[in-house]
Short mmCIF file of all heavy atoms in Angstrom, two decimals:
data_model
loop_
_atom_site.label_atom_id
_atom_site.label_comp_id
_atom_site.label_asym_id
_atom_site.label_seq_id
_atom_site.Cartn_x
_atom_site.Cartn_y
_atom_site.Cartn_z
N PRO A 31 -9.84 34.12 -9.57
CA PRO A 31 -10.31 33.52 -8.33
C PRO A 31 -10.08 34.51 -7.18
O PRO A 31 -9.05 35.21 -7.09
CB PRO A 31 -9.51 32.26 -8.18
CG PRO A 31 -8.28 32.39 -9.08
CD PRO A 31 -8.71 33.33 -10.06
N GLN A 32 -10.98 34.57 -6.24
CA GLN A 32 -10.86 35.41 -5.10
C GLN A 32 -9.90 34.70 -4.15
O GLN A 32 -10.03 33.45 -3.82
CB GLN A 32 -12.21 35.64 -4.46
CG GLN A 32 -13.22 36.41 -5.41
CD GLN A 32 -12.58 37.82 -5.65
OE1 GLN A 32 -12.10 38.49 -4.81
NE2 GLN A 32 -12.65 38.16 -6.84
N LYS A 33 -8.90 35.32 -3.52
CA LYS A 33 -8.06 34.78 -2.59
C LYS A 33 -8.68 34.96 -1.21
O LYS A 33 -8.91 36.12 -0.86
CB LYS A 33 -6.73 35.30 -2.63
CG LYS A 33 -6.01 35.07 -4.00
CD LYS A 33 -4.60 35.57 -4.06
CE LYS A 33 -3.95 35.19 -5.37
NZ LYS A 33 -2.62 35.73 -5.47
N ARG A 34 -8.80 33.85 -0.44
CA ARG A 34 -9.28 34.00 0.97
C ARG A 34 -8.25 33.33 1.89
O ARG A 34 -7.94 32.13 1.69
CB ARG A 34 -10.59 33.29 1.08
CG ARG A 34 -11.70 33.84 0.29
CD ARG A 34 -13.00 33.18 0.59
NE ARG A 34 -13.19 32.82 1.94
CZ ARG A 34 -14.00 31.81 2.32
NH1 ARG A 34 -14.67 31.11 1.53
NH2 ARG A 34 -14.14 31.53 3.61
N PRO A 35 -7.77 34.01 2.83
CA PRO A 35 -6.68 33.39 3.71
C PRO A 35 -7.32 32.28 4.57
O PRO A 35 -6.62 31.48 5.01
CB PRO A 35 -6.20 34.58 4.58
CG PRO A 35 -7.33 35.66 4.52
CD PRO A 35 -8.00 35.44 3.13
N ASP A 36 -8.62 32.24 4.72
CA ASP A 36 -9.24 31.27 5.51
C ASP A 36 -10.02 30.29 4.72
O ASP A 36 -10.97 29.66 5.12
CB ASP A 36 -10.21 31.84 6.56
CG ASP A 36 -11.42 32.61 5.88
OD1 ASP A 36 -11.30 32.97 4.68
OD2 ASP A 36 -12.49 32.78 6.50
N SER A 37 -9.44 30.01 3.55
CA SER A 37 -10.05 29.02 2.61
C SER A 37 -10.06 27.60 3.31
O SER A 37 -9.23 27.31 4.14
CB SER A 37 -9.32 28.95 1.25
OG SER A 37 -8.12 28.34 1.45
N ALA A 38 -10.92 26.81 2.81
CA ALA A 38 -10.95 25.41 3.34
C ALA A 38 -9.70 24.69 3.18
O ALA A 38 -9.17 23.95 3.95
CB ALA A 38 -12.14 24.68 2.62
N LEU A 39 -9.03 24.93 2.07
CA LEU A 39 -7.76 24.32 1.77
C LEU A 39 -6.64 24.84 2.84
O LEU A 39 -5.92 24.03 3.27
CB LEU A 39 -7.32 24.49 0.36
CG LEU A 39 -5.97 23.88 -0.03
CD1 LEU A 39 -5.94 22.36 0.25
CD2 LEU A 39 -5.63 24.19 -1.48
N SER A 40 -6.62 26.14 2.99
CA SER A 40 -5.64 26.66 3.92
C SER A 40 -5.90 26.18 5.34
O SER A 40 -4.93 25.96 6.08
CB SER A 40 -5.59 28.21 3.94
OG SER A 40 -6.77 28.75 4.40
N VAL A 41 -7.08 25.99 5.74
CA VAL A 41 -7.44 25.42 7.11
C VAL A 41 -6.93 23.98 7.18
O VAL A 41 -6.34 23.57 8.13
CB VAL A 41 -8.90 25.49 7.48
CG1 VAL A 41 -9.26 24.86 8.72
CG2 VAL A 41 -9.29 27.06 7.54
N ALA A 42 -7.15 23.20 6.08
CA ALA A 42 -6.73 21.76 6.10
C ALA A 42 -5.23 21.71 6.20
O ALA A 42 -4.66 20.90 6.91
CB ALA A 42 -7.24 21.06 4.85
N LEU A 43 -4.55 22.64 5.42
CA LEU A 43 -3.05 22.65 5.49
C LEU A 43 -2.58 23.05 6.86
O LEU A 43 -1.54 22.55 7.30
CB LEU A 43 -2.52 23.54 4.35
CG LEU A 43 -2.61 23.01 2.98
CD1 LEU A 43 -2.21 24.04 1.97
CD2 LEU A 43 -1.85 21.76 2.80
N ALA A 44 -3.27 23.98 7.47
CA ALA A 44 -2.92 24.35 8.79
C ALA A 44 -2.96 23.25 9.80
O ALA A 44 -2.17 23.08 10.75
CB ALA A 44 -3.77 25.52 9.34
N TRP A 45 -3.98 22.39 9.57
CA TRP A 45 -4.10 21.21 10.44
C TRP A 45 -2.91 20.28 10.26
O TRP A 45 -2.35 19.83 11.24
CB TRP A 45 -5.36 20.43 10.02
CG TRP A 45 -5.76 19.16 10.98
CD1 TRP A 45 -6.49 19.22 12.01
CD2 TRP A 45 -5.30 17.87 10.69
NE1 TRP A 45 -6.58 17.93 12.51
CE2 TRP A 45 -5.87 17.14 11.71
CE3 TRP A 45 -4.50 17.24 9.72
CZ2 TRP A 45 -5.67 15.74 11.83
CZ3 TRP A 45 -4.30 15.84 9.77
CH2 TRP A 45 -4.83 15.09 10.86
N PHE A 46 -2.48 20.10 9.02
CA PHE A 46 -1.28 19.25 8.84
C PHE A 46 -0.08 19.89 9.35
O PHE A 46 0.85 19.14 9.97
CB PHE A 46 -1.12 18.86 7.39
CG PHE A 46 -2.05 17.75 6.92
CD1 PHE A 46 -3.19 17.95 6.21
CD2 PHE A 46 -1.71 16.50 7.22
CE1 PHE A 46 -4.04 16.98 5.86
CE2 PHE A 46 -2.51 15.43 6.85
CZ PHE A 46 -3.74 15.68 6.12
N GLN A 47 0.08 21.19 9.27
CA GLN A 47 1.26 21.86 9.76
C GLN A 47 1.29 21.72 11.22
O GLN A 47 2.38 21.62 11.86
CB GLN A 47 1.26 23.34 9.33
CG GLN A 47 1.52 23.44 7.84
CD GLN A 47 1.21 24.75 7.25
OE1 GLN A 47 0.52 25.62 7.92
NE2 GLN A 47 1.59 24.95 6.06
N ALA A 48 0.11 21.72 11.98
CA ALA A 48 0.06 21.57 13.42
C ALA A 48 0.41 20.12 13.77
O ALA A 48 1.09 19.80 14.75
CB ALA A 48 -1.25 21.93 13.95
N ALA A 49 -0.18 19.14 12.97
CA ALA A 49 -0.06 17.70 13.32
C ALA A 49 1.42 17.18 12.93
O ALA A 49 1.92 16.38 13.59
CB ALA A 49 -1.09 16.89 12.55
N ARG A 50 1.97 17.74 11.86
CA ARG A 50 3.25 17.26 11.35
C ARG A 50 4.05 18.42 10.92
O ARG A 50 4.31 18.65 9.72
CB ARG A 50 3.03 16.28 10.20
CG ARG A 50 2.22 15.05 10.66
CD ARG A 50 2.21 14.02 9.54
NE ARG A 50 1.44 12.85 9.97
CZ ARG A 50 0.23 12.61 9.66
NH1 ARG A 50 -0.45 13.35 8.83
NH2 ARG A 50 -0.34 11.48 10.05
N PRO A 51 4.64 19.23 11.91
CA PRO A 51 5.44 20.36 11.50
C PRO A 51 6.68 20.01 10.71
O PRO A 51 7.14 20.79 9.91
CB PRO A 51 5.77 21.00 12.80
CG PRO A 51 5.47 19.96 13.95
CD PRO A 51 4.57 19.03 13.31
N GLU A 52 7.23 18.76 10.90
CA GLU A 52 8.45 18.27 10.15
C GLU A 52 8.20 16.90 9.77
O GLU A 52 8.67 16.01 10.37
CB GLU A 52 9.63 18.51 11.12
CG GLU A 52 10.06 19.96 11.39
CD GLU A 52 11.32 19.99 12.23
OE1 GLU A 52 12.17 19.22 12.13
OE2 GLU A 52 11.34 20.91 13.09
N PRO A 53 7.48 16.72 8.64
CA PRO A 53 7.11 15.38 8.17
C PRO A 53 8.31 14.52 7.99
O PRO A 53 9.35 14.92 7.52
CB PRO A 53 6.38 15.64 6.83
CG PRO A 53 5.93 17.11 6.96
CD PRO A 53 6.99 17.80 7.72
N THR A 54 8.07 13.18 8.27
CA THR A 54 9.12 12.19 8.10
C THR A 54 8.74 11.37 6.92
O THR A 54 7.57 11.40 6.47
CB THR A 54 9.27 11.29 9.32
OG1 THR A 54 8.07 10.62 9.50
CG2 THR A 54 9.55 12.11 10.61
N SER A 55 9.65 10.47 6.52
CA SER A 55 9.36 9.52 5.47
C SER A 55 8.11 8.62 5.85
O SER A 55 7.26 8.30 5.07
CB SER A 55 10.58 8.63 5.15
OG SER A 55 10.28 7.68 4.20
N LYS A 56 8.17 8.18 7.12
CA LYS A 56 7.10 7.36 7.60
C LYS A 56 5.73 8.09 7.49
O LYS A 56 4.69 7.50 7.09
CB LYS A 56 7.33 6.90 9.11
CG LYS A 56 6.23 6.16 9.71
CD LYS A 56 5.89 4.84 8.98
CE LYS A 56 4.77 4.05 9.61
NZ LYS A 56 3.82 3.36 8.68
N GLN A 57 5.74 9.37 7.90
CA GLN A 57 4.42 10.09 7.81
C GLN A 57 4.00 10.33 6.38
O GLN A 57 2.83 10.34 6.08
CB GLN A 57 4.59 11.41 8.54
CG GLN A 57 4.77 11.25 10.07
CD GLN A 57 5.22 12.51 10.79
OE1 GLN A 57 5.88 13.34 10.16
NE2 GLN A 57 4.91 12.67 12.08
N PHE A 58 4.97 10.48 5.47
CA PHE A 58 4.70 10.59 4.08
C PHE A 58 3.95 9.38 3.53
O PHE A 58 2.92 9.32 2.90
CB PHE A 58 5.87 10.89 3.26
CG PHE A 58 5.71 10.63 1.73
CD1 PHE A 58 4.90 11.56 0.96
CD2 PHE A 58 6.31 9.55 1.09
CE1 PHE A 58 4.76 11.40 -0.38
CE2 PHE A 58 6.07 9.37 -0.27
CZ PHE A 58 5.31 10.26 -1.01
#
Side-chain angles (χ1 to χ4, degrees):
Q32 297 297 315
K33 293 184 180 180
R34 290 183 46 202
D36 64 339
S37 72
L39 180 57
S40 66
V41 173
L43 290 172
W45 184 90
F46 279 102
Q47 289 163 348
R50 298 188 178 103
E52 296 181 31
T54 64
S55 176
K56 173 61 179 146
Q57 291 169 333
F58 165 74

